[in-house]
Amino acid sequence: MPRRVCSYFLLSFLFLFGCGPESKMAILSGTVTIDGQPAETGSISFIPVDGMTQTAGASIENGKFTSEVPIGESKVEIRVPKVVGKQKLYDTPDSPEQEIMAEVLPAKYNEATELRFTADKGKNEKNFELSTK
């Protein structure tokens, strides 16, 4: 009887964890450069064009990113903010200040993105060379 119970648990474990549906995500790493220079900081998002698969994204640091992305074609949105000023939080002389941020990149790379990427199973690599012009 114990052997039968062990076999049952082993088969259940394999079914639940080893025989489940295949992953619909891939690994993507790459770089983001702007006018030939690495983007210091920012974010990158992957929005599947099928509208059914989950979206994904990652931070960009020193021009590099790594993310799990959905397999198939995605729209890519890249945002790179910069500080353009400061403003007081309150109308008082000793008010703390808050940084004012603005987007470095044109809308064709984020709000109205023209960027696309098609991920295959496994590991992928993609470098985005962008221009502010």
Side-chain angles (χ1 to χ4, degrees):
M1 184 70 132
R3 183 175 276 176
R4 191 176 283 170
V5 171
C6 287
S7 297
Y8 172 76
F9 282 118
L10 179 60
L11 289 173
S12 296
F13 180 81
L14 289 174
F15 177 74
L16 291 173
F17 297 103
C19 300
E22 197 173 316
S23 175
K24 294 183 180 179
M25 300 296 278
I27 301 294
L28 173 64
S29 59
T31 61
V32 176
T33 57
I34 303 168
D35 299 328
Q37 299 298 314
E40 288 183 33
T41 185
S43 65
I44 185 165
S45 301
F46 301 90
I47 300 105
V49 296
D50 68 8
M52 303 296 286
T53 313
Q54 72 183 40
T55 60
S59 295
I60 301 166
E61 296 196 23
N62 299 316
K64 297 179 182 179
F65 69 91
T66 300
S67 179
E68 278 194 355
V69 297
I71 293 172
E73 185 180 11
S74 292
K75 295 188 305 182
V76 180
E77 295 182 1
I78 300 175
R79 290 179 169 76
V80 178
K82 73 173 182 175
V83 177
V84 294
K86 291 186 176 192
Q87 70 181 19
K88 288 186 173 191
L89 293 176
Y90 311 105
D91 191 18
T92 62
D94 61 343
S95 172
E97 293 183 331
Q98 177 179 343
E99 294 178 335
I100 301 170
M101 306 295 284
E103 179 59 53
V104 170
L105 296 172
K108 68 182 180 179
Y109 300 132
N110 42 67
E111 297 301 318
T113 190
E114 299 171 0
L115 300 173
R116 298 287 186 274
F117 177 73
T118 301
D120 295 319
K121 293 179 185 178
K123 292 184 179 182
N124 296 257
E125 185 174 326
K126 175 67 176 165
N127 300 321
F128 294 93
E129 298 173 2
L130 312 177
S131 172
T132 57
K133 297 174 176 122

